[in-house]
Amino acid sequence: MAVDYSVIVVYLAGMLGMGWWGMRRARSKSDFLVAGRRLGPAMYSGTMAAIVLGGASTIGGVGLGYRYGLSGAWMVFTIGLGLLALSVFFSARIARLKVYTVSEMLDLRYGGRAGVISGVVMWAYTLMLAVTSTIAYATIFDVLFDMNRTVAIVLGGSIVVAYSTLGGMWSITLTDMVQFVVKTIGVLLLLLPIAVVKAGGFSGMKAKLPTSYFDPLGIGGETIFTYVLIYTFGMLIGQDIWQRVFTARSDRTAKWGGTVAGTYCLAYALAGAVIGTAAKVLYPKLGSPDDAFATIVKDELPVGVRGLVLAAALAAVMSTSSGALIACATVANNDIWSRLRGVVRRGGEEQALHDEVKGNRAFILIMGVGVIGTAIAMNNVVEALTVAYNLLVGGLLVPILGGLLWKRGTVQGALASVTVGGLAVIGLMAGYGILANEPVYYGLLASLAAYLAVSLATRPTDEAVLTAWRERLAGRSPELASEPVPAHQ
């Protein structure tokens, strides 16, 4: 294992080095939070694919393949579909808004007052997403070094917090590009073909497994529908995803670069399911499906290759963890703390009040310590992730998409939608259970009903607000931080 350990150590050292390099480029709020909005197509595609394909997509995707066969690809497949939908239909408009958070978009569209409540919901989602990614370090470092769970979480989490704090989005972008390359080589080009060959090829796999393992819908129609509702729609509205859209240097880059990343996700989904199916042939009696990835890597890959593939798993976890962490810190600072302190968003005044890079760097550090502590205290990753996505979709999907697609939506309708949808999801999870499908189904319907009813019962949004919104969507307005706050806000 000495060679494998060396590969991992070099990889981790490289991540810290990238963080230090990125620190030299992060000289303004725009640099630190959205990489100066300067990413071209290649870097944008790589980093977008890296953030959406995390530990759940890699270790969890292989686990679903082990349990269900090829239909286990559906979870990651719906993530890819969501990214494609976002890129084709919405990303160009989102990129032209020149904001930093989803809550700022809601304030622009509805004329203020929607930011704090939506910010709290988005903060809870990004926090849980960062926690679930951080917990995954325990699995990987246990395979590598037979390490204690708490020590593994602290080690992996500290590296991510370090490079994220140093250079913000520039550091995360540079590390994500490395992680994308490592992930592609490790999972798609090495583990996939080796696993299939070791399992006797597709003909050997078909001979040893039930036919249900090769049924594209074997996982069940209701499960697929739930995946679409949670992950496809979740991709459309998550702060961690939008913050990457904001890094594109043009709306064309956001659209076509995201389309490439979404297509890559579809291929990654199928690869994970095939690897899991091969693992079922090789190890038919594993204690847990989620052990499939680590087991096949540990037992079937040659020295050196094993280290690279484990580095790929680590890359998958780190990319999602760092993206969720900076999103969590951005929302906490910009949408909650700054508003509660009454900070007015006027460029000159706010710059004079404090160093924005230093402030955002401090929030990443604070949120990072909180994420590591929460990850140590929690055990059930699936439940934490389900809570995060149920709150996101049930509370924010309707007011965000409604704001983009329906002129008649009002700020009162948006606030009612967030509040009713969020409370409904929480109450239904308490009644039906966290992992039940009903909370997100009925919570989303409650959110939609509240949005429509209250919007139609209240005065339409002021025409001046809508005019400013249309100007911003068309890319004809400066970004939010550099223009005065309108009187109605």
Side-chain angles (χ1 to χ4, degrees):
M1 291 290 288
V3 175
D4 296 324
Y5 291 161
S6 299
V7 172
I8 298 296
V9 170
V10 168
Y11 168 75
L12 294 176
M15 293 301 97
L16 292 174
M18 289 289 182
W20 186 263
W21 185 21
M23 182 177 67
R24 300 171 61 186
R25 306 193 67 169
R27 299 176 180 175
S28 68
K29 178 180 178 180
S30 178
D31 287 334
F32 194 83
L33 296 182
V34 290
R37 308 189 196 274
R38 295 202 296 270
L39 298 193
M43 189 166 280
Y44 178 86
S45 298
T47 57
M48 182 62 88
I51 187 177
V52 300
L53 296 173
S57 300
T58 304
I59 298 170
V62 171
L64 287 172
Y66 182 89
R67 185 175 179 184
Y68 298 105
L70 298 185
S71 66
W74 272 106
M75 184 188 78
V76 183
F77 201 82
T78 55
I79 290 174
L81 291 178
L83 186 52
L84 284 172
L86 174 72
S87 302
V88 172
F89 299 113
F90 299 108
S91 63
R93 283 185 282 178
I94 293 170
R96 287 196 292 265
L97 288 174
K98 303 296 184 187
V99 295
Y100 293 102
T101 68
V102 174
S103 295
E104 287 180 3
M105 167 263 169
L106 291 173
D107 274 356
L108 277 172
R109 166 58 183 83
Y110 294 111
R113 301 196 305 278
V116 174
I117 294 177
S118 61
V120 170
V121 175
M122 189 64 77
W123 175 79
Y125 157 72
T126 53
L127 178 71
M128 284 296 101
L129 187 61
V131 166
T132 55
S133 301
T134 304
I135 291 173
Y137 296 129
T139 301
I140 299 170
F141 283 115
D142 178 55
V143 174
L144 283 171
F145 308 115
D146 192 24
M147 187 178 289
N148 174 271
R149 178 182 183 274
T150 299
V151 175
I153 289 173
V154 171
L155 175 61
S158 297
I159 292 171
V160 169
V161 171
Y163 72 69
S164 301
T165 302
L166 284 173
M169 187 60 82
W170 267 122
S171 292
I172 292 171
T173 297
L174 294 170
T175 54
D176 276 0
M177 276 306 297
V178 175
Q179 290 160 353
F180 171 74
V181 172
V182 170
K183 199 168 2 184
T184 301
I185 294 173
V187 175
L188 295 183
L189 302 184
L190 292 176
L191 182 57
L192 175 61
I194 291 173
V196 171
V197 170
K198 292 278 188 178
F202 285 102
S203 58
M205 291 159 65
K206 285 185 176 181
K208 296 176 182 177
L209 293 173
T211 55
S212 62
Y213 268 72
F214 302 92
D215 179 359
L217 303 179
I219 199 170
E222 185 179 356
T223 299
I224 295 171
F225 178 73
T226 302
Y227 284 159
V228 170
L229 200 60
I230 292 177
Y231 296 114
T232 301
F233 285 112
M235 286 294 107
L236 298 180
I237 57 175
Q239 170 68 25
D240 52 323
I241 309 302
W242 277 41
Q243 200 156 343
R244 294 308 173 97
V245 176
F246 300 151
T247 66
R249 72 182 178 199
S250 68
D251 52 9
R252 183 178 177 84
T253 296
K255 181 175 182 178
W256 295 111
T259 301
V260 171
T263 305
Y264 177 89
C265 292
L266 303 183
Y268 199 88
L270 186 58
V274 171
I275 293 167
T277 305
K280 183 67 175 179
V281 173
L282 296 168
Y283 311 98
K285 298 187 183 298
L286 287 178
S288 168
D290 284 343
D291 293 337
F293 180 88
T295 303
I296 197 169
V297 169
K298 192 173 183 179
D299 294 349
E300 302 297 335
L301 299 185
V303 173
V305 173
R306 180 170 49 205
L308 183 60
V309 173
L310 286 171
L314 202 55
V317 175
M318 283 186 159
S319 57
T320 299
S321 182
S322 59
L325 176 59
I326 193 171
C328 178
T330 302
V331 171
N333 188 16
N334 288 262
D335 295 334
I336 301 174
W337 178 244
S338 292
R339 293 167 191 255
L340 292 177
R341 290 175 60 219
V343 173
V344 179
R345 291 185 178 279
R346 295 190 180 101
E349 292 182 22
E350 192 170 351
Q351 289 286 350
L353 287 173
H354 67 286
D355 179 348
E356 290 187 322
V357 172
K358 186 181 295 183
N360 282 293
R361 184 173 280 139
F363 264 86
I364 291 181
L365 181 59
I366 293 167
M367 292 297 111
V369 171
V371 164
I372 292 171
T374 307
I376 292 171
M378 291 190 66
N379 288 316
N380 197 314
V381 179
V382 175
E383 288 191 357
L385 196 61
T386 301
V387 170
Y389 273 98
N390 281 354
L391 282 172
L392 178 70
V393 174
L396 290 178
L397 178 67
V398 170
I400 291 172
L401 293 188
L404 289 168
L405 300 173
W406 192 42
K407 177 182 176 181
R408 186 62 180 80
T410 66
V411 65
Q412 294 87 351
L415 289 170
S417 179
V418 173
T419 305
V420 171
L423 292 176
V425 163
I426 293 170
L428 290 165
M429 283 192 294
Y432 285 98
I434 290 175
L435 298 180
N437 293 329
E438 287 83 358
V440 72
Y441 293 167
Y442 299 141
L444 189 56
L445 287 175
S447 177
L448 178 61
Y451 183 70
L452 293 175
V454 176
S455 290
L456 292 173
T458 52
R459 293 179 59 185
T461 304
D462 188 272
E463 189 57 38
V465 174
L466 291 176
T467 299
W469 166 251
R470 286 190 290 267
E471 288 291 303
R472 184 64 68 87
L473 278 179
R476 292 192 291 266
S477 259
E479 64 182 272
L480 185 64
S482 63
E483 65 181 32
V485 178
H488 60 267
Q489 292 187 33

